[in-house]
Amino acid sequence: MHGEYKVPGGKLVVVDFEVTDGAIADFRLAGDFFLEPDDALDSINGAVTGLPAETDASAIASAVRAALPEGAQLLGLTPDAVGVAVRRALVTAPGWRDFDWEILHEKAVSPRMNLALDEVLTTRVGAGLRRPTLRIWEWDESAVVIGSFQSYRNEVDPQGALRHGFDVVRRISGGGAMMMAAGQIITYSLYVPASLVQGMTFADSYAFLDDWVLQALRSLGIDATYQPLNDITGPSGKIGGAAQKRLANGGVLHHATLSYDIDGQTMTEVLRIGREKLSDKGTASAAKRVDPLRSQTGLSRAEIIERFKDTFRGITGAEDGSISADEYEAAEELVRTKFSTEAWLHRVP
């Protein structure tokens, strides 16, 4: 068995082992990480050898953690990464380059249409009718996009939204509200088969699927990191957040919104951002939590998007693609029957 896992923001973890009588045998860990003392490697190998082959990633990580010598230093490597690499080997999970990728960056459409396209394209990838895809959003009006399970009245100030020209829509993924002001954010969606994140916990898959954008941000001089569960952060605060939805047919939607520029005062008037939500963030102001890309890079939104696409191409070999006429038609039908209905918007009052 052979498995590989690139630690988000860290190093490559490689595992090789056999499975004998239902147990992991002859386990060997390798990679470009740093580990002190040297014999900690033997401790990790010994901790995993003999574990039942059905041991999950968290239990493997616990075994590794317990076996490490006191004071051991792991740089670019974590016990959890060892667990993920083992599980991916056992399910023969593919990597980014094992798929044929597309990048979509098309005409501006309404926020509702963007949400409908997310559902349509995820379904198509899950059904094997479309290649795995990265899509950059463009939209023709401002909107607040609330998470699938958020309460409309708890999250949005309707009068504030109306006053500032924000429509309110609901997406199919969980997570928090996004204030999508025209020209002020960068949003992308990944539509991938579940096999790409096989062996990962739900939390691990967030960091894995956004690692490419961390690389893009670092190439722009931003010291970007991932803060579990779903925040992309910089030295001065949050840059963006991600959300996921997994469909029964095996399609996975992972999308993220990053702040290019932001009007903090408008945010506080459109969103009901309470003190409880901010209490663990170390700040009393929603505006201070967000660290926009414009001020950090001095680049235009279009230039940053091009760097994102170039980085993704370098990692995956992706080609530019297009949304088909029938995919647009299917999305238009979803807008009519779901995303523009009061029943969907207020499914959680």
Side-chain angles (χ1 to χ4, degrees):
M1 299 281 182
H2 176 85
E4 298 183 1
Y5 176 60
K6 168 67 168 57
V7 179
K11 300 295 185 176
L12 182 67
V13 176
V14 182
V15 298
D16 291 281
F17 58 91
E18 305 293 335
V19 175
T20 304
D21 297 327
I24 296 172
D26 193 23
F27 181 82
R28 301 175 304 283
L29 173 67
D32 59 352
F33 50 81
F34 299 91
L35 178 63
E36 295 290 346
D38 279 356
D39 59 9
L41 183 64
D42 295 331
S43 300
I44 294 173
N45 289 339
V48 180
T49 296
L51 291 177
E54 65 271 15
T55 306
D56 64 24
S58 61
I60 295 169
S62 295
V64 169
R65 203 172 284 112
L68 287 170
E70 185 176 355
Q73 299 293 312
L74 288 70
L75 299 176
L77 167 71
T78 66
D80 297 285
V82 177
V84 170
V86 172
R87 291 311 312 169
R88 286 175 65 78
L90 287 164
V91 298
T92 61
W96 291 98
R97 284 276 180 174
D98 293 318
F99 295 99
D100 186 18
W101 290 87
E102 266 188 32
I103 295 177
L104 305 177
H105 190 191
E106 298 206 348
K107 63 184 181 182
V109 295
S110 70
R112 288 182 174 85
M113 188 63 170
N114 273 306
L115 298 175
L117 283 169
D118 268 359
E119 184 166 340
V120 168
L121 298 178
T122 306
T123 301
R124 296 288 175 98
V125 169
L129 300 175
R130 158 173 280 282
R131 296 186 285 176
T133 301
L134 165 69
R135 181 172 71 94
I136 308 295
W137 291 30
E138 296 293 350
W139 58 100
D140 56 12
E141 59 182 306
S142 296
V144 173
V145 182
I146 60 176
S148 181
F149 310 108
Q150 287 189 296
S151 163
Y152 176 96
R153 62 171 170 253
N154 288 345
E155 296 297 327
V156 182
D157 182 328
Q159 287 73 37
L162 181 63
R163 183 168 64 253
H164 290 286
F166 283 81
D167 192 8
V168 183
V169 294
R170 185 185 295 274
R171 64 181 184 268
I172 63 173
S173 64
M178 306 184 302
M179 195 179 82
M180 298 178 58
Q184 292 189 3
I185 64 168
I186 297 172
T187 296
Y188 62 84
S189 295
L190 285 168
Y191 315 111
V192 306
S195 58
L196 179 61
V197 292
Q198 282 281 6
M200 299 183 197
T201 65
F202 197 72
D204 286 335
S205 72
Y206 270 78
F208 177 78
L209 291 174
D210 277 334
D211 188 54
W212 69 273
V213 86
L214 296 185
Q215 295 182 47
L217 290 170
R218 289 173 189 146
S219 76
L220 293 169
I222 299 172
D223 185 17
T225 59
Y226 209 84
Q227 181 176 317
L229 171 64
N230 62 338
D231 283 354
I232 298 169
T233 66
S236 302
K238 179 176 176 178
I239 296 171
Q244 274 188 26
K245 176 67 177 180
R246 302 190 178 202
L247 303 185
N249 74 348
V252 177
L253 164 64
H254 179 95
H255 48 195
T257 293
L258 287 72
S259 294
Y260 172 68
D261 201 357
I262 192 167
D263 183 336
Q265 183 59 41
T266 299
M267 178 187 285
T268 61
E269 294 176 12
V270 172
L271 301 181
R272 299 187 191 278
I273 303 174
R275 291 183 178 178
E276 180 64 25
K277 185 168 183 178
L278 295 170
S279 63
D280 65 341
K281 308 296 184 180
T283 178
S285 167
K288 291 180 181 178
R289 284 187 59 214
V290 182
D291 196 14
L293 298 176
R294 180 180 182 179
S295 62
Q296 294 193 69
T297 66
L299 299 175
S300 69
R301 179 177 176 274
E303 288 173 312
I304 294 173
I305 288 174
E306 286 307 309
R307 179 63 62 88
F308 281 11
K309 291 193 291 186
D310 287 344
T311 301
F312 192 79
R313 287 189 193 101
I315 292 170
T316 65
E319 300 175 340
D320 291 345
S322 60
I323 300 172
S324 67
D326 67 301
E327 287 170 335
Y328 273 121
E329 289 173 7
E332 288 167 357
E333 180 65 10
L334 269 181
V335 169
R336 186 184 69 81
T337 60
K338 180 176 182 176
F339 290 102
S340 65
T341 67
E342 290 294 304
W344 173 251
L345 179 60
H346 296 285
R347 69 184 295 254
V348 182

